[in-house]
Amino acid sequence: MTITQLRYIVALDQFKSFAKAAEHCLVAQPTLSLQIQKVEQELGFDLFDRKKNPIITTKLGKEVVEQAKSTLKEADKLFEIAGQWKDEPAGNISLGIIPTVSNYLIPSIYKKLQSEFPKVNFRISELPTLTIIEKLESEEIDLGILATPLKISNIVEHQLYYEPFVVYYPKDAKEKSTSVSMKHIEKYPLLVLGEEHCFRHQSLKICNRNALAKIESGSVETLKRMVDMGIGVTLLPKLAVDKVSERIVPFQTPEPAREISLVYKKGFYKTKILNKLTNLILSVIPKEYHKKEKFKVIGVSIGQD
């Protein structure tokens, strides 16, 4: 059996669907199905129960899948060694990133990823924090980009930068200044992201509000439009703001900020890719956000984005 066949087996176990597994592996569904059948013929038993929907991995199939994962990890190490010798990273990287970071970071680095990592196949997914952690622990993804500190024993946090929170005012707000404190915004209804977003909980911590906000949304852009209608104020991540406006006001020093990190499970070995990706990300982030000295870092509640 081949490394490619092992990747197909692991993908089918993960997605429980030939169509989704084939899409993940970037092959036609009949090709993936045929190659898995060849492995089953070679081994002499079924790896998957195709009569079930979704597909179920058989008892023996689960043992094969676990061994396949181990074999693929060792194979990836060989590609990593080859990449170090050639001074050019190679292999596959699955990256999960929280929505409130991906909306500005991915457009900024995507083309550079392609040019600086020509032999690395990046698969990027926008996911909430809890899902990223679960997928890191199950080794379904290699890296995550999210707000930290998480303080999870088997997850390593590789700090990248510190992003301040800013206040977004409605157009007709009477009280605005060059910087704000709680007294400036406490009289306005607070609009926040939905429960699955850690940015929501950080916003509530900053504003000292335990009660539910007036409106919750799954999108920063929706919150901004609601503020534009004069319904209240919201907090935004500074780097998601693409223009200068008197309606976008920073907090007084020390500015509340979130720590953004690359995270991975202990045992992650693709250090060359990690270091190069770190440098690439920092190249598009203003240098004043690289260190936390002037910021007050707001913690993260596990279970949210």
Side-chain angles (χ1 to χ4, degrees):
M1 64 189 71
T2 67
I3 292 296
T4 298
Q5 288 172 328
L6 295 181
R7 293 194 192 282
Y8 293 168
I9 290 168
V10 171
L12 185 56
D13 174 73
Q14 177 183 346
F15 293 101
K16 314 298 183 188
S17 160
F18 279 99
K20 291 180 180 179
E23 181 181 359
H24 175 79
C25 294
L26 304 178
V27 296
Q29 182 176 332
T31 299
L32 181 136
S33 179
L34 177 62
Q35 292 302 316
I36 292 177
Q37 286 178 8
K38 286 184 177 181
V39 174
E40 290 176 322
Q41 291 170 3
E42 184 177 346
L43 293 174
F45 55 84
D46 289 339
L47 300 175
F48 301 98
D49 184 349
R50 294 162 172 80
K51 296 178 182 178
K52 304 292 184 180
N53 187 16
I55 290 168
I56 294 177
T57 307
T58 65
K59 184 176 180 180
L60 284 174
K62 290 179 180 178
E63 294 185 30
V64 172
V65 167
E66 289 307 308
Q67 186 59 49
K69 288 179 179 178
S70 177
T71 301
L72 290 172
K73 182 180 290 188
E74 295 304 314
D76 283 343
K77 287 182 181 179
L78 293 177
F79 286 115
E80 180 72 9
I81 292 170
Q84 289 180 357
W85 180 72
K86 296 177 182 178
D87 197 30
E88 186 175 13
N92 299 290
I93 288 288
S94 295
L95 174 66
I97 181 167
I98 57 174
T100 54
V101 171
S102 66
N103 66 346
Y104 64 80
L105 185 60
I106 296 305
S108 298
I109 68 171
Y110 188 73
K111 287 186 177 180
K112 290 186 177 183
L113 282 177
Q114 293 178 309
S115 62
E116 295 191 25
F117 295 89
K119 294 189 177 181
V120 177
N121 176 33
F122 279 95
R123 298 189 66 89
I124 302 173
S125 303
E126 191 176 86
L127 302 166
T129 292
L130 187 58
T131 302
I132 291 176
I133 294 169
E134 290 172 346
K135 288 183 177 292
L136 284 172
E137 291 180 333
S138 65
E139 300 184 356
E140 293 178 53
I141 62 174
D142 301 296
L143 294 170
I145 299 178
L146 40 68
T148 52
L150 301 171
K151 297 180 181 179
I152 300 175
S153 60
N154 62 336
I155 299 295
V156 180
E157 301 174 10
H158 185 74
Q159 287 79 22
L160 292 170
Y161 59 92
Y162 300 87
E163 181 178 25
F165 294 77
V166 295
V167 179
Y168 187 58
Y169 278 103
K171 295 177 182 178
D172 58 353
K174 303 296 183 183
E175 185 180 3
K176 293 195 293 286
S177 58
T178 56
S179 64
V180 298
S181 64
M182 290 308 104
K183 69 178 182 179
H184 292 102
I185 60 174
E186 61 187 7
K187 64 182 180 181
Y188 294 96
L190 180 65
L191 314 183
V192 297
L193 289 170
E195 185 69 33
E196 73 275 15
H197 297 275
C198 72
F199 195 87
R200 159 216 171 90
H201 298 271
Q202 290 172 315
S203 297
L204 292 174
K205 284 183 182 180
I206 292 169
C207 296
N208 297 317
R209 300 194 190 187
N210 297 317
L212 291 176
K214 184 170 183 178
I215 291 180
E216 300 177 25
S217 169
S219 164
V220 169
E221 290 305 312
T222 299
L223 291 180
K224 289 168 66 176
R225 287 195 291 271
M226 300 303 288
V227 173
D228 291 342
M229 295 172 63
I231 294 174
V233 300
T234 193
L235 270 55
L236 300 175
K238 172 64 175 176
L239 296 175
V241 177
D242 57 3
K243 63 182 180 179
V244 176
S245 169
E246 64 174 9
R247 295 170 57 201
I248 300 168
V249 185
F251 280 91
Q252 294 175 356
T253 304
E255 296 177 74
R258 59 179 183 170
E259 179 182 81
I260 302 299
S261 301
L262 265 168
V263 300
Y264 51 90
K265 187 177 180 180
K266 285 183 178 178
F268 180 78
Y269 56 88
K270 299 180 182 181
T271 54
K272 193 175 189 67
I273 292 177
L274 177 69
N275 293 334
K276 194 169 182 178
L277 181 58
T278 296
N279 292 334
L280 189 157
I281 292 171
L282 290 178
S283 73
V284 302
I285 301 298
K287 289 186 178 180
E288 61 263 35
Y289 302 146
H290 290 191
K291 296 182 179 181
K292 68 177 180 180
E293 280 76 6
K294 69 175 184 177
F295 300 118
K296 178 183 178 182
V297 176
I298 305 302
V300 178
S301 300
I302 300 300
Q304 293 85 30
D305 150 26

